[in-house]
Amino acid sequence: MGIETIGGQHFCPTEYDLIDEFLKKKIGRRPLPNEFIKEIPFLYEYPPELLPIWKFKYARNYEAYYFTHKGRKPPNGEFLGGKKFDGEWKTEGPDEACFGENQILGYKRKLYFYRSEKRTGWVIKEYRYNPKRVPAHYLQNRFFHDFLLNYVVLRIKFNPHQREKFTAEELFSISMEDAKDLDVFQDFEG
């Protein structure tokens, strides 16, 4: 397992680790192997450059892991004090099954952040738990079923090699004037 970080090693969990050691336990409200992965509700509502990726101490540069809920979102801009940002996360390709222990543990999909119809270099690998692994009587609870389908663990990474060329005006998803006093994660501990 790539979960432990000893002597300066990076946090490099496998798909199995992310789904079975973290997501399954988080959904089941059981203790996690460590507290490396933090939660950001509705992460997709924030432009990636405002996320506290630099506070994630255990991964490589420009990479972090988070739990998030991707269900019903608040009105656009609510988390940013009513300020809007330019850009959106788009998925490319179908969900892929993640296997382990001779069964489908969960599913993953890749999302890319686009601004002005161009890829920015921000990539998310999103992992969700396979609901068929949960006893049927739990799924009868509509709240739990909704939570299970919409709660994910993800890895977000900036990959400059996947970025397209931008003009100076296109570089930021929120105007510098709007972002000047905006630190939505000032109290966040990574």
Side-chain angles (χ1 to χ4, degrees), residues 40-45 67-75 79 109 126 128 143 145-152:
I40 296 180
F42 305 106
L43 178 136
Y44 299 107
E45 286 295 298
F67 292 110
T68 194
H69 192 277
K70 63 183 187 97
R72 291 190 181 136
K73 301 173 190 166
F79 289 119
R109 68 180 181 157
E126 176 188 274
R128 66 182 167 82
F143 174 77
H145 187 259
D146 225 27
F147 179 76
L148 180 67
L149 293 178
N150 291 300
Y151 198 74
V152 298

PDB file of all heavy atoms in Angstrom, residues 40-45 67-75 79 109 126 128 143 145-152:
ATOM      1  N   ILE A  40     -13.721  18.980   1.125  1.00  0.00           N
ATOM      2  CA  ILE A  40     -14.153  20.291   0.638  1.00  0.00           C
ATOM      3  C   ILE A  40     -15.531  20.082   0.002  1.00  0.00           C
ATOM      4  O   ILE A  40     -15.634  19.491  -1.064  1.00  0.00           O
ATOM      5  CB  ILE A  40     -13.177  20.889  -0.390  1.00  0.00           C
ATOM      6  CG1 ILE A  40     -11.823  21.146   0.254  1.00  0.00           C
ATOM      7  CG2 ILE A  40     -13.760  22.181  -0.969  1.00  0.00           C
ATOM      8  CD1 ILE A  40     -10.796  21.737  -0.677  1.00  0.00           C
ATOM      9  N   PRO A  41     -16.593  20.533   0.666  1.00  0.00           N
ATOM     10  CA  PRO A  41     -17.929  20.350   0.093  1.00  0.00           C
ATOM     11  C   PRO A  41     -18.056  21.055  -1.255  1.00  0.00           C
ATOM     12  O   PRO A  41     -17.611  22.188  -1.413  1.00  0.00           O
ATOM     13  CB  PRO A  41     -18.852  20.994   1.133  1.00  0.00           C
ATOM     14  CG  PRO A  41     -18.052  21.052   2.385  1.00  0.00           C
ATOM     15  CD  PRO A  41     -16.619  21.192   1.963  1.00  0.00           C
ATOM     16  N   PHE A  42     -18.644  20.376  -2.205  1.00  0.00           N
ATOM     17  CA  PHE A  42     -18.924  20.931  -3.530  1.00  0.00           C
ATOM     18  C   PHE A  42     -17.673  21.561  -4.154  1.00  0.00           C
ATOM     19  O   PHE A  42     -17.698  22.686  -4.643  1.00  0.00           O
ATOM     20  CB  PHE A  42     -20.067  21.946  -3.463  1.00  0.00           C
ATOM     21  CG  PHE A  42     -21.315  21.395  -2.858  1.00  0.00           C
ATOM     22  CD1 PHE A  42     -21.695  21.752  -1.578  1.00  0.00           C
ATOM     23  CD2 PHE A  42     -22.092  20.489  -3.554  1.00  0.00           C
ATOM     24  CE1 PHE A  42     -22.836  21.221  -1.003  1.00  0.00           C
ATOM     25  CE2 PHE A  42     -23.238  19.948  -2.991  1.00  0.00           C
ATOM     26  CZ  PHE A  42     -23.612  20.320  -1.713  1.00  0.00           C
ATOM     27  N   LEU A  43     -16.578  20.835  -4.163  1.00  0.00           N
ATOM     28  CA  LEU A  43     -15.301  21.315  -4.685  1.00  0.00           C
ATOM     29  C   LEU A  43     -15.415  21.848  -6.108  1.00  0.00           C
ATOM     30  O   LEU A  43     -14.732  22.788  -6.473  1.00  0.00           O
ATOM     31  CB  LEU A  43     -14.282  20.168  -4.631  1.00  0.00           C
ATOM     32  CG  LEU A  43     -12.899  20.445  -5.181  1.00  0.00           C
ATOM     33  CD1 LEU A  43     -11.869  19.883  -4.220  1.00  0.00           C
ATOM     34  CD2 LEU A  43     -12.723  19.846  -6.548  1.00  0.00           C
ATOM     35  N   TYR A  44     -16.315  21.285  -6.893  1.00  0.00           N
ATOM     36  CA  TYR A  44     -16.441  21.693  -8.297  1.00  0.00           C
ATOM     37  C   TYR A  44     -16.982  23.108  -8.455  1.00  0.00           C
ATOM     38  O   TYR A  44     -16.992  23.646  -9.550  1.00  0.00           O
ATOM     39  CB  TYR A  44     -17.317  20.708  -9.061  1.00  0.00           C
ATOM     40  CG  TYR A  44     -16.755  19.318  -9.058  1.00  0.00           C
ATOM     41  CD1 TYR A  44     -17.329  18.308  -8.302  1.00  0.00           C
ATOM     42  CD2 TYR A  44     -15.625  19.016  -9.807  1.00  0.00           C
ATOM     43  CE1 TYR A  44     -16.792  17.034  -8.291  1.00  0.00           C
ATOM     44  CE2 TYR A  44     -15.081  17.751  -9.803  1.00  0.00           C
ATOM     45  CZ  TYR A  44     -15.675  16.761  -9.038  1.00  0.00           C
ATOM     46  OH  TYR A  44     -15.135  15.508  -9.021  1.00  0.00           O
ATOM     47  N   GLU A  45     -17.440  23.724  -7.375  1.00  0.00           N
ATOM     48  CA  GLU A  45     -17.931  25.096  -7.431  1.00  0.00           C
ATOM     49  C   GLU A  45     -16.813  26.133  -7.345  1.00  0.00           C
ATOM     50  O   GLU A  45     -17.068  27.322  -7.441  1.00  0.00           O
ATOM     51  CB  GLU A  45     -18.925  25.336  -6.289  1.00  0.00           C
ATOM     52  CG  GLU A  45     -20.263  24.686  -6.513  1.00  0.00           C
ATOM     53  CD  GLU A  45     -20.997  25.279  -7.702  1.00  0.00           C
ATOM     54  OE1 GLU A  45     -21.317  26.478  -7.686  1.00  0.00           O
ATOM     55  OE2 GLU A  45     -21.247  24.533  -8.663  1.00  0.00           O
ATOM     56  N   PHE A  67     -12.020  14.688  -0.345  1.00  0.00           N
ATOM     57  CA  PHE A  67     -13.364  14.137  -0.397  1.00  0.00           C
ATOM     58  C   PHE A  67     -14.272  15.302  -0.779  1.00  0.00           C
ATOM     59  O   PHE A  67     -14.049  16.436  -0.364  1.00  0.00           O
ATOM     60  CB  PHE A  67     -13.818  13.624   0.975  1.00  0.00           C
ATOM     61  CG  PHE A  67     -13.078  12.423   1.471  1.00  0.00           C
ATOM     62  CD1 PHE A  67     -12.198  12.533   2.538  1.00  0.00           C
ATOM     63  CD2 PHE A  67     -13.265  11.180   0.886  1.00  0.00           C
ATOM     64  CE1 PHE A  67     -11.521  11.422   3.021  1.00  0.00           C
ATOM     65  CE2 PHE A  67     -12.591  10.063   1.357  1.00  0.00           C
ATOM     66  CZ  PHE A  67     -11.722  10.187   2.419  1.00  0.00           C
ATOM     67  N   THR A  68     -15.298  15.016  -1.561  1.00  0.00           N
ATOM     68  CA  THR A  68     -16.267  16.061  -1.876  1.00  0.00           C
ATOM     69  C   THR A  68     -17.608  15.432  -2.203  1.00  0.00           C
ATOM     70  O   THR A  68     -17.711  14.246  -2.498  1.00  0.00           O
ATOM     71  CB  THR A  68     -15.785  16.967  -3.033  1.00  0.00           C
ATOM     72  OG1 THR A  68     -16.600  18.139  -3.066  1.00  0.00           O
ATOM     73  CG2 THR A  68     -15.837  16.273  -4.374  1.00  0.00           C
ATOM     74  N   HIS A  69     -18.629  16.256  -2.147  1.00  0.00           N
ATOM     75  CA  HIS A  69     -19.987  15.852  -2.504  1.00  0.00           C
ATOM     76  C   HIS A  69     -20.299  16.521  -3.833  1.00  0.00           C
ATOM     77  O   HIS A  69     -20.150  17.723  -3.968  1.00  0.00           O
ATOM     78  CB  HIS A  69     -20.965  16.310  -1.422  1.00  0.00           C
ATOM     79  CG  HIS A  69     -22.299  15.706  -1.553  1.00  0.00           C
ATOM     80  ND1 HIS A  69     -23.255  16.211  -2.392  1.00  0.00           N
ATOM     81  CD2 HIS A  69     -22.847  14.616  -0.978  1.00  0.00           C
ATOM     82  CE1 HIS A  69     -24.347  15.458  -2.316  1.00  0.00           C
ATOM     83  NE2 HIS A  69     -24.119  14.494  -1.472  1.00  0.00           N
ATOM     84  N   LYS A  70     -20.688  15.737  -4.794  1.00  0.00           N
ATOM     85  CA  LYS A  70     -20.945  16.306  -6.120  1.00  0.00           C
ATOM     86  C   LYS A  70     -22.429  16.352  -6.435  1.00  0.00           C
ATOM     87  O   LYS A  70     -22.829  16.433  -7.574  1.00  0.00           O
ATOM     88  CB  LYS A  70     -20.196  15.526  -7.197  1.00  0.00           C
ATOM     89  CG  LYS A  70     -20.615  14.080  -7.324  1.00  0.00           C
ATOM     90  CD  LYS A  70     -19.773  13.381  -8.354  1.00  0.00           C
ATOM     91  CE  LYS A  70     -20.297  12.004  -8.604  1.00  0.00           C
ATOM     92  NZ  LYS A  70     -21.153  11.905  -9.749  1.00  0.00           N
ATOM     93  N   GLY A  71     -23.249  16.327  -5.394  1.00  0.00           N
ATOM     94  CA  GLY A  71     -24.698  16.335  -5.579  1.00  0.00           C
ATOM     95  C   GLY A  71     -25.224  17.704  -5.927  1.00  0.00           C
ATOM     96  O   GLY A  71     -24.596  18.475  -6.642  1.00  0.00           O
ATOM     97  N   ARG A  72     -26.388  18.026  -5.374  1.00  0.00           N
ATOM     98  CA  ARG A  72     -27.004  19.312  -5.679  1.00  0.00           C
ATOM     99  C   ARG A  72     -26.111  20.440  -5.205  1.00  0.00           C
ATOM    100  O   ARG A  72     -25.684  20.493  -4.070  1.00  0.00           O
ATOM    101  CB  ARG A  72     -28.357  19.401  -4.989  1.00  0.00           C
ATOM    102  CG  ARG A  72     -29.341  18.470  -5.591  1.00  0.00           C
ATOM    103  CD  ARG A  72     -30.714  18.756  -5.059  1.00  0.00           C
ATOM    104  NE  ARG A  72     -31.631  17.810  -5.651  1.00  0.00           N
ATOM    105  CZ  ARG A  72     -32.571  17.178  -4.989  1.00  0.00           C
ATOM    106  NH1 ARG A  72     -32.727  17.399  -3.708  1.00  0.00           N
ATOM    107  NH2 ARG A  72     -33.352  16.345  -5.601  1.00  0.00           N
ATOM    108  N   LYS A  73     -25.897  21.362  -6.102  1.00  0.00           N
ATOM    109  CA  LYS A  73     -24.992  22.467  -5.816  1.00  0.00           C
ATOM    110  C   LYS A  73     -25.785  23.692  -5.388  1.00  0.00           C
ATOM    111  O   LYS A  73     -26.906  23.892  -5.829  1.00  0.00           O
ATOM    112  CB  LYS A  73     -24.178  22.805  -7.066  1.00  0.00           C
ATOM    113  CG  LYS A  73     -23.364  21.647  -7.557  1.00  0.00           C
ATOM    114  CD  LYS A  73     -22.733  21.998  -8.885  1.00  0.00           C
ATOM    115  CE  LYS A  73     -22.121  20.763  -9.510  1.00  0.00           C
ATOM    116  NZ  LYS A  73     -21.805  20.949 -10.892  1.00  0.00           N
ATOM    117  N   PRO A  74     -25.185  24.528  -4.566  1.00  0.00           N
ATOM    118  CA  PRO A  74     -25.839  25.804  -4.249  1.00  0.00           C
ATOM    119  C   PRO A  74     -25.804  26.702  -5.481  1.00  0.00           C
ATOM    120  O   PRO A  74     -25.097  26.400  -6.436  1.00  0.00           O
ATOM    121  CB  PRO A  74     -24.959  26.363  -3.130  1.00  0.00           C
ATOM    122  CG  PRO A  74     -23.642  25.716  -3.306  1.00  0.00           C
ATOM    123  CD  PRO A  74     -23.919  24.370  -3.909  1.00  0.00           C
ATOM    124  N   PRO A  75     -26.553  27.792  -5.461  1.00  0.00           N
ATOM    125  CA  PRO A  75     -26.524  28.693  -6.624  1.00  0.00           C
ATOM    126  C   PRO A  75     -25.091  29.079  -6.974  1.00  0.00           C
ATOM    127  O   PRO A  75     -24.276  29.290  -6.092  1.00  0.00           O
ATOM    128  CB  PRO A  75     -27.318  29.908  -6.142  1.00  0.00           C
ATOM    129  CG  PRO A  75     -28.182  29.393  -5.039  1.00  0.00           C
ATOM    130  CD  PRO A  75     -27.420  28.256  -4.405  1.00  0.00           C
ATOM    131  N   PHE A  79     -20.416  30.195  -2.818  1.00  0.00           N
ATOM    132  CA  PHE A  79     -19.233  30.010  -1.991  1.00  0.00           C
ATOM    133  C   PHE A  79     -18.228  31.144  -2.167  1.00  0.00           C
ATOM    134  O   PHE A  79     -17.397  31.372  -1.332  1.00  0.00           O
ATOM    135  CB  PHE A  79     -18.533  28.693  -2.316  1.00  0.00           C
ATOM    136  CG  PHE A  79     -19.295  27.495  -1.865  1.00  0.00           C
ATOM    137  CD1 PHE A  79     -19.729  26.565  -2.780  1.00  0.00           C
ATOM    138  CD2 PHE A  79     -19.586  27.295  -0.530  1.00  0.00           C
ATOM    139  CE1 PHE A  79     -20.426  25.452  -2.374  1.00  0.00           C
ATOM    140  CE2 PHE A  79     -20.293  26.185  -0.119  1.00  0.00           C
ATOM    141  CZ  PHE A  79     -20.712  25.261  -1.039  1.00  0.00           C
ATOM    142  N   ARG A 109     -13.515   8.426 -13.107  1.00  0.00           N
ATOM    143  CA  ARG A 109     -13.639   9.203 -14.335  1.00  0.00           C
ATOM    144  C   ARG A 109     -12.683  10.382 -14.242  1.00  0.00           C
ATOM    145  O   ARG A 109     -12.312  10.821 -13.162  1.00  0.00           O
ATOM    146  CB  ARG A 109     -15.065   9.666 -14.584  1.00  0.00           C
ATOM    147  CG  ARG A 109     -15.585  10.670 -13.619  1.00  0.00           C
ATOM    148  CD  ARG A 109     -16.999  11.044 -13.990  1.00  0.00           C
ATOM    149  NE  ARG A 109     -17.504  12.036 -13.062  1.00  0.00           N
ATOM    150  CZ  ARG A 109     -18.478  12.853 -13.330  1.00  0.00           C
ATOM    151  NH1 ARG A 109     -19.090  12.793 -14.489  1.00  0.00           N
ATOM    152  NH2 ARG A 109     -18.885  13.727 -12.449  1.00  0.00           N
ATOM    153  N   GLU A 126     -11.683  11.246 -10.377  1.00  0.00           N
ATOM    154  CA  GLU A 126     -12.738  11.136  -9.375  1.00  0.00           C
ATOM    155  C   GLU A 126     -13.083   9.654  -9.180  1.00  0.00           C
ATOM    156  O   GLU A 126     -13.271   8.932 -10.158  1.00  0.00           O
ATOM    157  CB  GLU A 126     -13.951  11.905  -9.883  1.00  0.00           C
ATOM    158  CG  GLU A 126     -15.165  11.826  -9.038  1.00  0.00           C
ATOM    159  CD  GLU A 126     -16.355  12.449  -9.739  1.00  0.00           C
ATOM    160  OE1 GLU A 126     -16.517  13.676  -9.627  1.00  0.00           O
ATOM    161  OE2 GLU A 126     -17.102  11.716 -10.422  1.00  0.00           O
ATOM    162  N   ARG A 128     -15.666   6.896  -7.191  1.00  0.00           N
ATOM    163  CA  ARG A 128     -16.879   6.693  -6.392  1.00  0.00           C
ATOM    164  C   ARG A 128     -17.052   5.210  -6.099  1.00  0.00           C
ATOM    165  O   ARG A 128     -16.568   4.343  -6.831  1.00  0.00           O
ATOM    166  CB  ARG A 128     -18.111   7.292  -7.066  1.00  0.00           C
ATOM    167  CG  ARG A 128     -18.523   6.671  -8.340  1.00  0.00           C
ATOM    168  CD  ARG A 128     -19.738   7.396  -8.941  1.00  0.00           C
ATOM    169  NE  ARG A 128     -19.938   6.996 -10.304  1.00  0.00           N
ATOM    170  CZ  ARG A 128     -20.569   5.894 -10.686  1.00  0.00           C
ATOM    171  NH1 ARG A 128     -21.105   5.102  -9.801  1.00  0.00           N
ATOM    172  NH2 ARG A 128     -20.685   5.589 -11.965  1.00  0.00           N
ATOM    173  N   PHE A 143     -31.721   9.000   1.661  1.00  0.00           N
ATOM    174  CA  PHE A 143     -30.624   9.918   1.985  1.00  0.00           C
ATOM    175  C   PHE A 143     -29.280   9.221   1.822  1.00  0.00           C
ATOM    176  O   PHE A 143     -28.369   9.743   1.194  1.00  0.00           O
ATOM    177  CB  PHE A 143     -30.780  10.453   3.414  1.00  0.00           C
ATOM    178  CG  PHE A 143     -29.611  11.290   3.851  1.00  0.00           C
ATOM    179  CD1 PHE A 143     -29.474  12.595   3.401  1.00  0.00           C
ATOM    180  CD2 PHE A 143     -28.645  10.760   4.683  1.00  0.00           C
ATOM    181  CE1 PHE A 143     -28.398  13.364   3.786  1.00  0.00           C
ATOM    182  CE2 PHE A 143     -27.551  11.521   5.074  1.00  0.00           C
ATOM    183  CZ  PHE A 143     -27.434  12.825   4.623  1.00  0.00           C
ATOM    184  N   HIS A 145     -28.616   6.486   0.066  1.00  0.00           N
ATOM    185  CA  HIS A 145     -28.429   6.128  -1.343  1.00  0.00           C
ATOM    186  C   HIS A 145     -27.936   7.331  -2.143  1.00  0.00           C
ATOM    187  O   HIS A 145     -27.001   7.229  -2.943  1.00  0.00           O
ATOM    188  CB  HIS A 145     -29.742   5.591  -1.918  1.00  0.00           C
ATOM    189  CG  HIS A 145     -29.596   5.043  -3.294  1.00  0.00           C
ATOM    190  ND1 HIS A 145     -29.963   5.762  -4.408  1.00  0.00           N
ATOM    191  CD2 HIS A 145     -29.100   3.865  -3.749  1.00  0.00           C
ATOM    192  CE1 HIS A 145     -29.714   5.050  -5.492  1.00  0.00           C
ATOM    193  NE2 HIS A 145     -29.193   3.904  -5.126  1.00  0.00           N
ATOM    194  N   ASP A 146     -28.544   8.493  -1.930  1.00  0.00           N
ATOM    195  CA  ASP A 146     -28.117   9.727  -2.590  1.00  0.00           C
ATOM    196  C   ASP A 146     -26.678  10.080  -2.220  1.00  0.00           C
ATOM    197  O   ASP A 146     -25.879  10.442  -3.075  1.00  0.00           O
ATOM    198  CB  ASP A 146     -29.050  10.864  -2.157  1.00  0.00           C
ATOM    199  CG  ASP A 146     -29.484  11.716  -3.311  1.00  0.00           C
ATOM    200  OD1 ASP A 146     -29.527  11.202  -4.439  1.00  0.00           O
ATOM    201  OD2 ASP A 146     -29.774  12.905  -3.068  1.00  0.00           O
ATOM    202  N   PHE A 147     -26.380   9.968  -0.938  1.00  0.00           N
ATOM    203  CA  PHE A 147     -25.035  10.267  -0.448  1.00  0.00           C
ATOM    204  C   PHE A 147     -24.016   9.340  -1.105  1.00  0.00           C
ATOM    205  O   PHE A 147     -22.977   9.772  -1.591  1.00  0.00           O
ATOM    206  CB  PHE A 147     -25.002  10.126   1.075  1.00  0.00           C
ATOM    207  CG  PHE A 147     -23.658  10.389   1.676  1.00  0.00           C
ATOM    208  CD1 PHE A 147     -23.186  11.679   1.804  1.00  0.00           C
ATOM    209  CD2 PHE A 147     -22.863   9.346   2.116  1.00  0.00           C
ATOM    210  CE1 PHE A 147     -21.949  11.941   2.364  1.00  0.00           C
ATOM    211  CE2 PHE A 147     -21.620   9.585   2.670  1.00  0.00           C
ATOM    212  CZ  PHE A 147     -21.159  10.889   2.792  1.00  0.00           C
ATOM    213  N   LEU A 148     -24.311   8.050  -1.138  1.00  0.00           N
ATOM    214  CA  LEU A 148     -23.408   7.058  -1.712  1.00  0.00           C
ATOM    215  C   LEU A 148     -23.110   7.338  -3.183  1.00  0.00           C
ATOM    216  O   LEU A 148     -21.972   7.231  -3.625  1.00  0.00           O
ATOM    217  CB  LEU A 148     -24.013   5.661  -1.561  1.00  0.00           C
ATOM    218  CG  LEU A 148     -23.199   4.499  -2.104  1.00  0.00           C
ATOM    219  CD1 LEU A 148     -21.921   4.322  -1.298  1.00  0.00           C
ATOM    220  CD2 LEU A 148     -24.011   3.225  -2.075  1.00  0.00           C
ATOM    221  N   LEU A 149     -24.118   7.727  -3.925  1.00  0.00           N
ATOM    222  CA  LEU A 149     -23.931   7.982  -5.355  1.00  0.00           C
ATOM    223  C   LEU A 149     -23.203   9.294  -5.639  1.00  0.00           C
ATOM    224  O   LEU A 149     -22.637   9.459  -6.712  1.00  0.00           O
ATOM    225  CB  LEU A 149     -25.276   7.978  -6.070  1.00  0.00           C
ATOM    226  CG  LEU A 149     -26.008   6.638  -6.116  1.00  0.00           C
ATOM    227  CD1 LEU A 149     -27.346   6.794  -6.814  1.00  0.00           C
ATOM    228  CD2 LEU A 149     -25.161   5.576  -6.796  1.00  0.00           C
ATOM    229  N   ASN A 150     -23.217  10.220  -4.706  1.00  0.00           N
ATOM    230  CA  ASN A 150     -22.669  11.549  -4.964  1.00  0.00           C
ATOM    231  C   ASN A 150     -21.453  11.920  -4.136  1.00  0.00           C
ATOM    232  O   ASN A 150     -20.938  13.024  -4.278  1.00  0.00           O
ATOM    233  CB  ASN A 150     -23.760  12.603  -4.760  1.00  0.00           C
ATOM    234  CG  ASN A 150     -24.810  12.519  -5.831  1.00  0.00           C
ATOM    235  OD1 ASN A 150     -24.515  12.677  -6.998  1.00  0.00           O
ATOM    236  ND2 ASN A 150     -26.023  12.225  -5.439  1.00  0.00           N
ATOM    237  N   TYR A 151     -20.984  11.046  -3.280  1.00  0.00           N
ATOM    238  CA  TYR A 151     -19.817  11.341  -2.460  1.00  0.00           C
ATOM    239  C   TYR A 151     -18.601  10.660  -3.086  1.00  0.00           C
ATOM    240  O   TYR A 151     -18.642   9.464  -3.380  1.00  0.00           O
ATOM    241  CB  TYR A 151     -20.030  10.850  -1.027  1.00  0.00           C
ATOM    242  CG  TYR A 151     -19.083  11.477  -0.051  1.00  0.00           C
ATOM    243  CD1 TYR A 151     -19.236  12.792   0.341  1.00  0.00           C
ATOM    244  CD2 TYR A 151     -18.020  10.761   0.459  1.00  0.00           C
ATOM    245  CE1 TYR A 151     -18.363  13.387   1.228  1.00  0.00           C
ATOM    246  CE2 TYR A 151     -17.135  11.344   1.348  1.00  0.00           C
ATOM    247  CZ  TYR A 151     -17.324  12.660   1.738  1.00  0.00           C
ATOM    248  OH  TYR A 151     -16.443  13.236   2.608  1.00  0.00           O
ATOM    249  N   VAL A 152     -17.540  11.414  -3.307  1.00  0.00           N
ATOM    250  CA  VAL A 152     -16.378  10.890  -4.024  1.00  0.00           C
ATOM    251  C   VAL A 152     -15.084  11.277  -3.319  1.00  0.00           C
ATOM    252  O   VAL A 152     -15.052  12.198  -2.508  1.00  0.00           O
ATOM    253  CB  VAL A 152     -16.331  11.403  -5.484  1.00  0.00           C
ATOM    254  CG1 VAL A 152     -17.550  10.946  -6.269  1.00  0.00           C
ATOM    255  CG2 VAL A 152     -16.194  12.913  -5.546  1.00  0.00           C
TER     256      VAL A 152
END
